[in-house]
Structures are given as C-alpha cells and as structure tokens.
C-alpha cells in the first residue's frame, strides 16, 4: 500500500515504524483537504451562500463517514482536536455532576486518559482507583477490576489498546462490569481505531475517543463519540458561537448534540480530511487491514524471539506495537536506526505510571506498524538491531552507512561513545558547595551535579545519574572542561551560546530533539551554581 502514501515517494528508503505516534497520510486524504481549500472553502453552519452550504455539506458528510466507521449515528459524533481534547471534554462535562463516589481507570493509561480524571477527581473530592496489571505485566487484572468497580463507581475510563504493550483490552467485558454497577464507560480508542474494527454499540462504550492523525487522517482533529442519551444529558464544558438556540444577556439555551459541544469555528478542513480517512479505511476494510498487519505481527514476533539481547514487552496477542528494551539507551538506538532511515519512537511514550513505575523502565524503544508497513521494513529493523547488539552501536560505515559525518566528526562520535561507556568524574563529592538534580522529562535522563566553588571558580565537579550516550558523554566532557572555570562565565552560557558551547564540545552536529539530551548537563551545572 506504500504507493497510496506520497511520503514514500519523497522518502523511498524510509522504513516508517512510528505509526503509533502518528500515521502517514494517503493521497485520498491530502486531496480532500486541498480540494476543500482550493475550490470550496468557507465557514460552516453560518453563511447563506453557495460556498457556505457546500462547506457545511462536506463537513456534515465527514461526520457521517466517521459515524459509519464506528457504527454510530452522526449526531453522536463530536469533532474535537484529538483524543486528548475528547477525554478532557468528557471529564470536564461529567465530573462536576458527580458529587460523591469513585472513578476507575487503569495503570495502563496514556497521560491523556489519566491526568484529566486525576486532576478533576482531586478537585471534586472523588476517589481515583486504578485497575492494576496481571503479574506478568501484560494485561489488566480482571479479578481486581471486579473488586474495584462498585456501586459508587461513576465512570470507568480505560484504553482499548495500550500504546506501550500493544495489549488489546477486553472492552466488552469491562463495559459489562461497569454497566452492572450503573457506571459510564469511556474508552480511549487512540491506538485501536486504525487497526481493529470498532463497533461502539457492540463494545458497550458510552463514550469513545480517538484522533484523526493516528488513522491516516490529519492532525488537529479527533472525535468523541457519545451515545445519544448520555450526550443529551451532558452539559457543554466550553462555550461560544454556533452551539446555541437562544442567547440573552442573562441566559443561554443550547442546541442539540453534537453541535452543542462544538462552539466556535471548527477545524473544517481537518474534519473533511478525517471523513476521507474514515472512507479510506472503510474502502480497504478492517478485515484486509488486519490480515495484512496480523501477518507482519506474527513474523515480527518470531524475529524478536530469536533476537538475543532484546526483551520485548507485552503479550503475544497484540496489535502492531513492539516495545522493547536492550542494553543501550533507547535514544541511542533511535539515533542509530534513524541513520539508516528507520523511524521508531524512544522514551516513556507518555505513559509514565505504566512505564516507569509498573515496568520500572525510564525509557524503551518502540516500533509500530500500519497498513503501509512491509516485511522488508521489519527485516531492516531486525538486521539493524542485530548489528547494534553485536557492536554495541559502534559506528561501522560499511554496515550502517553513517556516511554523512566527516572523518574528524567520526573521531568525535567515537569519543562520545567512549565517554558514555566510561564517564569521567562520575563519583560523589563528600562535601559539595552545591548539588542539583535535573531531569529531562522527554526521556527520563537524570543528572545530579555536585560542585565545590572556591573564589568564584569551580574547584571540583562530579556527577551521578543515568541517561543516553549523548547526555552522559556531554556531562562527562563538561566535568573536565569546567574545572577551574569562573562560575560567572558558566552562567552566561545560555540560549544559543550554551548550544554552541556544548555542540563544539561534542564535535558532531546535534539535531533539535537530541539537543535536550546534550544540554541537560550544562543546565544542571548552571542550576547548581545558581
Ligand atoms: N500516543 C504515542 O506515541 P493525541 O495526542 O491527543 O492525538 O493522543 C493521545 C493519546 C491518547 N491515548 C493513547 C492510548 C495514545 O497512544 C495517545 C497518543 C502517542 O503513543 C503520542 S504520545
């Protein structure tokens, strides 16, 4: 299916294995958006002119296509800006109506389906309960779910598919338990909608949230499905134009769902693109998509089993999400793979309670597939990982084609690896003048710097902590470079000056994402000095 996605024409060597973060877009979706802007652009639901009517028709047709995709009716489809906004909308609308009781989520949640409930439950004085994982850390513990959901449960909110483990949760069963106790069921469908058939009625979801950009549609558009009875009862949590029946200075009566939840000018082009993405999926059919992806999943599971030194997280029964750990920092693996045009994701995947607390991992590496993924993409990933395991990621131009560094830069790259393996001054200073710990929330890198300052100069500097090769090596090099340096001078190294200082120390070009890793050390030293 690569031929349907123009990104692969522009990047013919790209193995895009980051679909769980965001999918690529087919011509069909891009054309629908461009056509709307080129020959039919106007605002919707306002204008008494031809373009306005056409735009409204396109916008509402998109709602119909999305409704068809999940077996809902159009008035049950609220357009939002994405899964995060959908869940926030639901939480902001529902929580103020609960004056007591508890909210049940799971340990597996992405922050988007955790923080809104956590924050609003605290404010409202409601208890937040979490369904834990089974002992093997792969699935939800359904026995515990039965204990935790009771007659005081107001809402059960959980993910359909884990964005870390790839686990497919038993939505129907959980919804059944929740409904027996009169609780509302919200399902986060962000990682399911492009991979599994979703029938909201069959699943028993009262609310179902998903994003356009993960289902071959555009960014900035998403959906909150809500069953009609529930939406009728829910109050809109935000206000503005085009959601009303009548407004006086003292009072407003709202129109019916879905429009009562869509104040202001919506993301019209986004909705049209999303409608087109829904049609794209319907035309291919979930059956064919699953057949394609399941073959790849089976193959990749077999390949991972044989891969020594790599631990795959999650169960066998999964979607095409493959999160793994090995004896290397995920950022270093990601960069190594990127040099070979293999795009994957590294970090805690915005699921810190699961990733860092439950699984005890600061960061992991994740490859994820889509309808355009081919077995050659997976073979390239596996081959590259084999090389990494064998060589520890040591640069070898013949094997990995890291050909765009000059000879001098290659020496610097080797030097970085050497410092990362054997960091200098990674020790404790017994009585430091100051100590400061800083963390890079993006990847979990942590550095604690201790300094002894005498007469305005650094007399000794050392560090502790963990992280990727770039953060460790930059810190190690800094501890050498900053010995004896005036503290005032170090504090002037901010912004571009700081970036230049650290880049010249490392001696290789550092991209914007890894710059955060590179600068962590300098930032921590400066905080300690302040
Ligand atoms: N997960 C990932 O790489 P937004 O950002 O609103 O479109 O989707 C949020 C979201 C909610 N729930 C789940 C299960 C998700 O996976 C995501 C997004 C991406 O895993 C980006 S962090």
């Amino acid at each position: 299916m690569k031929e349907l996605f123009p990104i692969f024409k522009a990047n013919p060597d790209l193995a895009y294995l980051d679909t769980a973060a965001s999918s690529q877009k087919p011509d069909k979706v891009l054309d629908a958006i461009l056509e709307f802007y080129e020959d039919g652009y106007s605002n919707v639901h306002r204008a008494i002119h031809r373009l306005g009517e056409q735009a409204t028709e396109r916008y509402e047709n998109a709602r119909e296509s999305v409704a068809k995709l999940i077996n809902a009716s159009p008035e049950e489809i609220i357009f939002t800006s994405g899964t995060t906004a959908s869940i926030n909308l639901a939480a902001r609308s529902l929580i103020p109506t609960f004056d007591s009781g508890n909210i049940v989520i799971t340990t597996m949640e992405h922050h988007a389906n955790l923080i809104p409930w956590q924050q609003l439950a605290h404010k409202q004085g409601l208890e937040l309960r979490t369904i834990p994982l089974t002992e093997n850390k792969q699935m939800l513990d359904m026995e515990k779910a039965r204990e935790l959901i009771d007659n005081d449960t107001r809402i059960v909110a959980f993910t359909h598919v884990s964005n870390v483990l790839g686990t497919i949760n038993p939505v129907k069963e959980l919804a059944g338990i929740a409904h027996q106790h009169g609780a509302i069921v919200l399902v986060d469908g962000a990682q399911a909608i492009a991979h599994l058939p979703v029938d909201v009625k069959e699943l028993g979801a009262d609310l179902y949230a998903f994003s356009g950009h993960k289902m071959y549609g555009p960014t900035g558009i998403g959906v909150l499905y809500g069953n009609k009875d529930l939406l009728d009862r829910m109050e809109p949590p935000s206000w503005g134009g085009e959601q009303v029946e009548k407004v006086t200075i003292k009072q407003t009566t709202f129109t019916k769902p879905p429009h009562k939840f869509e104040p202001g000018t919506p993301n019209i082009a986004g909705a049209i693109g999303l409608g087109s993405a829904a049609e794209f999926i319907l035309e291919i059919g979930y059956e064919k998509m699953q057949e394609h992806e399941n073959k790849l999943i089976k193959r990749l599971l077999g390949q991972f089993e044989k891969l020594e030194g790599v631990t795959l997280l999650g169960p066998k029964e999964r979607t095409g999400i493959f999160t793994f750990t090995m004896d290397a920092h995920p950022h270093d693996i990601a960069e190594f793979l990127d040099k070979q045009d293999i795009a994957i994701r590294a970090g805690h995947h915005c699921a810190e309670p699961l990733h860092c607390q439950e699984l005890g991992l600061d960061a992991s590496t994740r490859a994820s597939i889509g309808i355009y993924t081919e077995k050659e993409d997976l073979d390239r990933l596996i081959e590259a990982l084999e090389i990494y395991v064998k060589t520890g990621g040591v640069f070898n131009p013949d094997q990995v084609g890291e050909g765009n560094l000059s000879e001098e830069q290659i020496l610097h790259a080797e030097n970085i690896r050497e410092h990362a393996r054997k960091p200098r001054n990674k020790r404790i200073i017994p009585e430091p003048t100051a100590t400061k710990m800083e963390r890079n929330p993006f990847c979990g890198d942590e550095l604690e710097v201790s300094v002894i300052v005498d007469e305005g100069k650094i007399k000794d500097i050392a560090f502790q902590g963990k992280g990727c090769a770039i953060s460790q090596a930059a810190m190690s090099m800094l501890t050498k470079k900053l010995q004896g340096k005036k503290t005032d001078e170090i504090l002037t190294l901010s912004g571009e000056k700081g970036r230049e200082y650290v880049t010249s120390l490392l001696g290789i070009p550092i991209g914007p994402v890894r710059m955060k890793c590179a600068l962590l050390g300098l930032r921590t030293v400066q905080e300690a000095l302040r």
Side-chain angles (χ1 to χ4, degrees), residues 142-175:
M142 293 302 286
E143 238 173 76
K144 289 273 164 46
R146 280 192 186 82
E147 286 166 23
L148 289 167
I149 301 169
D150 60 21
N151 288 343
D152 290 329
T153 303
R154 303 287 169 253
I155 186 156
V156 182
F158 57 95
T159 193
H160 194 161
V161 169
S162 161
N163 71 321
V164 176
L165 303 171
T167 310
I168 305 166
N169 284 323
V171 176
K172 214 170 152 178
E173 194 184 341
L174 258 177

Side-chain angles (χ1 to χ4, degrees), residues 518-530:
L519 286 175
L520 181 65
L522 181 61
R523 184 156 64 82
T524 314
V525 175
Q526 289 171 331
E527 284 304 315
L529 295 180
R530 274 191 200 109

Side-chain angles (χ1 to χ4, degrees), residues 20-21 83-84 110 112 159 163 188 190-191 211 213-214 345 350 366:
T83 310
T84 305
H110 183 278
T159 193
N163 71 321
D188 172 353
Q191 295 295 350
S211 302
H213 70 98
K214 293 203 203 279
R345 186 170 171 191
C350 302
R366 184 187 72 188

Side-chain angles (χ1 to χ4, degrees), residues 385-420:
L385 291 178
E386 275 168 355
I387 294 173
Y388 201 106
V389 172
K390 264 189 222 140
T391 63
V394 173
F395 161 72
N396 178 339
D398 296 335
Q399 284 167 315
V400 301
E402 192 178 8
N404 49 359
L405 293 186
S406 69
E407 266 179 40
E408 195 190 332
Q409 286 169 335
I410 290 167
L411 288 177
H412 281 295
E414 274 308 327
N415 191 31
I416 289 172
R417 275 187 268 269
E418 213 269 316
H419 268 270

